[in-house]
Amino acid sequence: MTDAALPDRPEESGPQDDALDLRASDADREQVAERLRDALAEGRLDMEEFGERLEETYKARTYRELLPVTRDLPGTGTPMPAPAPVNLVKEPLPEGAVDWAARIGGAAGGSAWGVGVLSGFERKGRWTVPARMDCVAVMGGGELDLREANFESRETVLNCVAIMGGVNVIVPPGVEVVVRGIGIMGGFDHSESGVPGDPGAPRVVITGFAFWGGVGVERKLPKAERQRLKEERRRERLERREDRRALLDGHARLHDDHLERHRERIEEHLDRLEERRERRRRRHHWE
């Protein structure tokens, strides 16, 4: 990145200097990248500037290196807040959370093409999605299932061409989807476009052309997550059932106690009646 592409950086001084030298996270870099995309959409940056600053963003290692990238953009002139104290012990992720950092990076081992001409193609399970993949479906179909996939790059471009055929893309929750395809007597599914992604999650851009065909986008949970939620719901049902059983048992015990007390009062009443009869018999005998 040329020096002219970045605004001048004044000499920083003050108590935040030490904080600015701390290492930035993937979520911090993605936040800056999102600011750059907004600036590109608003016409504040041209494509060349955007590409240079985006490259500089993903190369940045500290907060100090990230600051100049957006210093001259509106709303971004204030310094980043000092990061929280760094915990060197990696804590386990919450149940159901995705470790996106572990799923991004590494070379794609398979083909960067998917072709279905009077036939079909399918990619699913554990595979690495290349940074760019071209898919062609002519009077055929194809499916790209990204729910359990790894990603070669943080931003993946899927170029889909569907002619009297269709391509279906399945993404997991947390992945940002941007749809930019063109349809003539066909269409691209925009229902998942614009849904915010998780911090550090990959971004999938779907482009291409559809003629008498279509490109669909679905968001589904991975099988392991569906199974986990199913087991969680089953445990909740069992717990509710046990609670109801305990409640019914409690009511039954209360009912039994009430009957027992009622029987005791009846027996006491009968005993008193018997005593009265006995006293009357004695009186009659002595009279």
Side-chain angles (χ1 to χ4, degrees):
M1 185 173 181
T2 62
D3 293 338
L6 288 178
D8 294 335
R9 184 177 68 187
E11 293 295 330
E12 283 94 352
S13 62
Q16 288 191 338
D17 273 1
D18 292 339
L20 293 175
D21 288 327
L22 291 177
R23 305 279 278 191
S25 68
D26 287 339
D28 296 322
R29 283 184 282 271
E30 189 59 33
Q31 181 182 4
V32 174
E34 189 62 32
R35 291 177 179 177
L36 294 177
R37 294 187 191 106
D38 292 340
L40 176 65
E42 295 167 357
R44 303 181 189 277
L45 298 176
D46 57 29
M47 283 301 299
E48 183 178 358
E49 290 175 317
F50 171 74
E52 291 176 348
R53 295 195 186 200
L54 191 64
E55 181 181 0
E56 193 70 19
T57 297
Y58 288 124
K59 287 181 179 178
R61 292 293 176 264
T62 65
Y63 288 97
R64 189 183 301 278
E65 294 173 357
L66 281 176
L67 277 177
V69 178
T70 57
R71 190 184 298 278
D72 61 342
L73 298 178
T76 62
T78 56
M80 291 183 181
V86 179
N87 185 0
L88 299 180
V89 180
K90 185 176 181 181
E91 298 180 358
L93 291 171
E95 189 175 14
V98 180
D99 186 2
W100 291 115
R103 293 179 58 176
I104 298 175
S111 172
W113 282 85
V115 180
V117 179
L118 296 175
S119 62
F121 64 89
E122 183 180 56
R123 299 294 298 273
K124 64 179 182 178
R126 290 287 183 181
W127 63 293
T128 300
V129 187
R132 179 185 172 90
M133 185 169 185
D134 295 291
C135 304
V136 179
V138 180
M139 298 182 68
E143 182 173 271
L144 301 176
D145 191 340
L146 312 183
R147 287 177 292 176
E148 299 178 10
N150 294 327
F151 297 82
E152 183 180 31
S153 173
R154 185 172 300 280
E155 181 163 298
T156 298
V157 177
L158 302 179
N159 183 46
C160 303
V161 176
I163 301 176
M164 291 188 291
V167 178
N168 192 44
V169 180
I170 303 175
V171 297
V175 172
E176 181 186 1
V177 177
V178 178
V179 180
R180 297 174 180 164
I182 299 173
I184 299 178
M185 290 187 289
F188 280 73
D189 185 358
H190 289 259
S191 60
E192 297 298 335
S193 185
V195 178
D198 291 343
R203 186 171 188 252
V204 177
V205 180
I206 301 175
T207 65
F209 175 74
F211 178 73
W212 281 10
V215 176
V217 182
E218 294 182 85
R219 194 179 296 273
K220 294 182 179 179
L221 288 170
K223 292 180 180 178
E225 181 65 10
R226 287 208 314 270
Q227 185 64 28
R228 185 188 70 82
L229 293 175
K230 182 178 178 180
E231 288 297 323
E232 186 176 321
R233 288 193 294 268
R234 187 181 68 83
R235 288 195 302 269
E236 290 176 353
R237 287 197 300 270
L238 289 175
E239 289 174 0
R240 288 197 297 269
R241 191 176 303 165
E242 290 297 327
D243 291 341
R244 286 196 298 269
R245 185 176 293 123
L247 183 61
L248 290 174
D249 290 344
H251 283 309
R253 286 193 296 270
L254 288 174
H255 182 65
D256 292 342
D257 292 343
H258 179 72
L259 287 178
E260 183 63 26
R261 288 195 297 271
H262 185 62
R263 291 193 193 98
E264 291 175 355
R265 285 195 292 268
I266 291 176
E267 290 175 357
E268 292 174 357
H269 182 65
L270 292 175
D271 290 342
R272 286 195 293 270
L273 288 177
E274 184 62 28
E275 290 175 359
R276 290 174 185 171
R277 292 194 190 98
E278 184 64 26
R279 284 197 297 271
R280 281 198 294 270
R281 283 198 297 272
R282 289 200 196 102
R283 271 199 312 270
H284 291 317
H285 175 72
W286 291 107
E287 290 175 356

